[in-house]
Amino acid sequence: MARKKVIKKKNIKRKVIKRKTANVVRTKVRASRPVVPKRLPSTSNPMQSAIKGHVSQKPEKRRPEVLERYFIEAEKSKIKIEIQRRGTTTTYVVEAPKINEATAALLDEVRDELVTATSVGMNEIMDSGAIKNMKKRFGIEAGTLIAKKLPHINKDTQSILVNKLMQDMLGLGEIEFLINDPHLEEIVIPSSKETIRTYHKKYGWLPTNLRIAREDEIVNYSNIIARRVGRQITVLTPLLDAHLVSGDRVNAILYPISSKGNTITIRKFARDPFTVIDLITTKTCSVEVTVLLWLAIEYEMNVLISGGTASGKTSLLNACIPFIPPNHRIISVEDTRELMLPEFLYWTPLVTRTPNPEGKGEVSMLHLLVNSLRMRPDRIVLGEMRRKEEAMVLFEAMHTGHSVYATLHANTVAETLSRLTNPPLSVPANLLSAVNLNVVMFRDRRRGIRRVYQVGEFNVSNDRAEANILYRWSPEEDKILKHTDNMRVFEDIGRNTGMGRAQINRNLEEKKFIINWMIKNKFRSLEDFGKVMQQYYGDKEFLIKNIRANNSKAIIGR
């Protein structure tokens, strides 16, 4: 028994030793194995890991690049304008003051009280001077009502709210901001589904951050514009061609004629019209062409101005009309008022009128042209020649001794000749001898410039007319160059005035001397230009004497 117990004890010790050695071996084996971390990223394909890392990152919002920033004045409020570029898109951004729902509700109450308390007559709606007085009156009354409802409001906030009311009640809402921006040429409301677009003088067509909320608002704006010029736009008469109180031209078309929705196009005109000094300094025209036009207009020659859409035809015509002596009567005939002439001129503007829904009350351009011949005009200005009847009356006026100035769509002097002698105008070639000069305007859309492209005349013989180019624009040099010396206009002036070629050349040099002096002294405003013209036609020797002495105070008054 004792021996068996001893054997058992030995066996137990052996087992314990075996277990201990086994554990030691196991721990050694486990310790010798490499520790592999869980989910170790595979480096076998570096492209996959790069893609995974790129996808896991959140895309950062790129801030728009601000190309230009400036401020405009709109109803006594300063509004910030930014031209922003995000990627390939350039946007016109108006930072207008934002009004919350509670303030908007308060403004609705004030608006209702203003409408109830204030009466507006038809004369006030249609007269630009009366509208200014009405805005002033509304502004005072609106400020008083807002001060009563919000006694602790500060003046700046009160001014913002009053201006908001003025825009909504007497203006065109946020469109007023765009109308007051002098850098814009065109404003388009395509529909309520799209943002308003503008044509910027520097950047071209740009989408804005403004949008009309509903289609009926666009119809309401169209009706406001129509009422102010004594017209109407309805489902029966869905087309409107009118102008704003500021003189900007407006075209509106209602749905379904405009299938996307109701649309309004506003073509803006400069509040400070271009003079020939502006056209010369911007290289649109040259001094030589300017003095030739001055000579032709002074001695009652007939001038046609041709060009494409928005090429600057009306701007050049508007800039040249102040060359007319102040004691000559000017009658202008236009579909919509585009000309803006200085006050020193003796000017009677006439505008056509469309018929009412019953087809009555139309006053066409032909009616006004025929009637203008009975008003003893010295000069007749036609906005645009479109129909045969208008062209025939105009050429009849030329042959009866009236000086005529008109615009026409054509891209060259030869094309102007072709358009005049072929349908729809169909003017007989023998009548074209009455046209002394033809100026063609050109617009380079790529560079955003406008230039006098050609200056020419029509040589008529044996019932055939040919174009003769006097000056042409060289795009390589960006200069207006002389093309030929054979100028019939000098023969016509000499025949009518008795001046020889030497006298005409001296006259041109005098005019060039005056224009260069105005350019040098930067007398480019319409008012300054008018004073110089009055001095020229009133006392030329006095003008030349003071220019040589550089005595601008005696001429301009400063």
Side-chain angles (χ1 to χ4, degrees), residues 9 30 62 111 122 134 147 153 162 247 254 259 290 370 404 413 449 451 481 507:
K9 285 179 182 180
R30 285 175 184 172
R62 291 178 60 186
R111 187 183 294 110
M122 184 58 68
M134 183 172 61
I153 191 172
V162 169
L254 298 186
S259 57
T290 300
V370 173
V404 172
V413 175
I449 59 174
R451 295 288 184 265
L481 307 175
N507 193 308

Side-chain angles (χ1 to χ4, degrees), residues 290-529:
T290 300
V291 297
L292 178 62
L293 287 170
W294 184 358
L295 181 75
I297 291 171
E298 179 183 359
Y299 291 107
E300 303 184 51
M301 300 289 104
N302 301 309
V303 180
L304 293 182
I305 299 176
S306 312
T309 302
S311 60
K313 300 185 298 295
T314 305
S315 296
L316 180 64
L317 180 63
N318 201 97
C320 289
I321 287 178
F323 287 137
I324 297 173
N327 61 338
H328 285 205
R329 187 176 193 192
I330 305 167
I331 307 292
S332 66
V333 179
E334 300 176 272
D335 281 329
T336 55
R337 272 280 301 276
E338 294 184 359
L339 295 175
M340 296 176 65
L341 304 184
E343 293 182 1
F344 73 87
L345 291 175
Y346 182 20
W347 175 41
T348 303
L350 304 178
V351 181
T352 62
R353 185 176 69 189
T354 55
N356 64 11
E358 297 175 355
K360 298 178 181 179
E362 180 185 11
V363 180
S364 68
M365 192 172 280
L366 181 61
H367 294 148
L368 293 177
L369 265 176
V370 173
N371 188 76
S372 67
L373 297 174
R374 305 188 185 109
M375 299 172 68
R376 196 184 176 107
D378 295 295
R379 316 292 179 110
I380 298 174
V381 182
L382 181 66
E384 187 175 336
M385 197 188 306
R386 294 191 184 95
R387 302 172 186 86
K388 180 178 180 180
E389 294 81 7
E390 297 164 2
M392 293 306 296
V393 172
L394 204 64
F395 276 88
E396 189 64 30
M398 292 181 189
H399 283 88
T400 53
H402 300 87
S403 295
V404 172
Y405 313 98
T407 62
L408 181 71
H409 276 93
N411 297 317
T412 63
V413 175
E415 190 175 322
T416 303
L417 184 61
S418 176
R419 281 215 63 198
L420 286 171
T421 54
N422 291 292
L425 298 179
S426 300
V427 177
N430 63 333
L431 296 183
L432 296 181
S433 60
V435 179
N436 301 101
L437 279 179
N438 176 214
V439 184
V440 181
M441 296 297 296
F442 169 73
R443 179 185 180 187
D444 187 341
R445 295 178 183 273
R446 184 177 63 85
R447 288 189 281 179
I449 59 174
R450 293 172 173 87
R451 295 288 184 265
V452 170
Y453 185 64
Q454 290 178 345
V455 179
E457 57 189 7
F458 304 142
N459 293 327
V460 181
S461 62
N462 299 326
D463 292 337
R464 291 188 62 185
E466 293 180 352
N468 180 33
I469 308 299
L470 309 178
Y471 289 89
R472 63 177 181 82
W473 177 61
S474 171
E476 296 83 10
E477 303 176 62
D478 194 14
K479 287 182 180 179
I480 300 170
L481 307 175
K482 195 171 186 178
H483 189 71
T484 182
D485 288 325
N486 185 21
M487 298 189 183
R488 186 174 62 86
V489 66
F490 289 162
E491 296 176 10
D492 295 337
I493 291 172
R495 189 184 311 114
N496 295 333
T497 63
M499 290 194 302
R501 187 63 182 265
Q503 288 176 292
I504 292 174
N505 288 336
R506 280 199 300 271
N507 193 308
L508 289 171
E509 288 301 319
E510 280 183 350
K511 288 176 168 57
K512 193 181 293 186
F513 177 62
I514 294 168
I515 292 292
N516 284 328
W517 177 78
M518 293 183 71
I519 294 171
K520 182 181 177 181
N521 290 276
K522 298 181 180 178
F523 293 138
R524 46 84 35 214
S525 70
L526 202 59
E527 183 183 357
D528 292 344
F529 193 82

Side-chain angles (χ1 to χ4, degrees), residues 46 68 81 85 108-109 129-130 142 159 164 176 178 229 248 268 288 309 323 353 434 467 483 490-492 496 515 545:
E68 190 173 349
I81 305 295
R85 179 184 289 163
D108 287 337
E109 290 181 15
S159 177
K164 173 67 176 170
E176 294 287 336
L178 307 179
V229 293
D248 302 320
K268 291 177 77 275
E288 290 75 20
T309 302
F323 287 137
R353 185 176 69 189
H483 189 71
F490 289 162
E491 296 176 10
D492 295 337
N496 295 333
I515 292 292
K545 178 183 174 182

